[in-house]
Amino acid sequence: MKLSPLTDQLRERFALPKAVQGLIVLSRDNNQQNKLQIGDLIEKVDQIYQFTDVESLAGYIEEAKNSGKKFILLKIRRGATSRGLITLPLE
């Protein structure tokens, strides 16, 4: 999966409001078990943390794996108004 910080061009491409922040999904592996789609914006992780750079999220995921967590919870936005929660397995 490839993530990117949200830029003005990506915001326009995926019809996202100016007020939102997070990381956007640019590509995903075909064999991934999660339900993320290209264009999904990850707004929060585990209902608390907001990441605007990929390295910080990667560090959080590594810490979660090391602490024995089996998954993390992602609050996502799909398009201008659709929101949802997705569990991301930590393999």
Side-chain angles (χ1 to χ4, degrees), residues 8-16 26 38:
D8 288 338
Q9 288 113 346
L10 291 171
R11 202 181 290 280
E12 184 177 322
R13 178 178 167 193
F14 295 107
L16 295 165
L26 294 180
I38 293 172

Side-chain angles (χ1 to χ4, degrees), residues 30-82:
N30 289 334
N31 62 353
Q32 282 186 302
Q33 298 282 320
N34 68 59
K35 297 175 182 162
L36 287 172
Q37 297 179 8
I38 293 172
D40 283 352
L41 179 71
I42 300 171
E43 291 186 294
K44 289 198 177 180
V45 178
D46 287 339
Q47 298 182 337
I48 299 171
Y49 305 104
Q50 185 175 43
F51 296 101
T52 55
D53 66 272
V54 177
E55 294 79 18
S56 295
L57 176 59
Y60 179 80
I61 290 172
E62 191 62 32
E63 286 179 26
K65 285 180 182 178
N66 291 339
S67 72
K69 287 186 90 172
K70 301 293 182 206
F71 65 90
I72 57 175
L73 185 65
L74 305 177
K75 178 183 174 190
I76 63 124
R77 178 184 288 262
R78 189 168 288 153
T81 58
S82 178

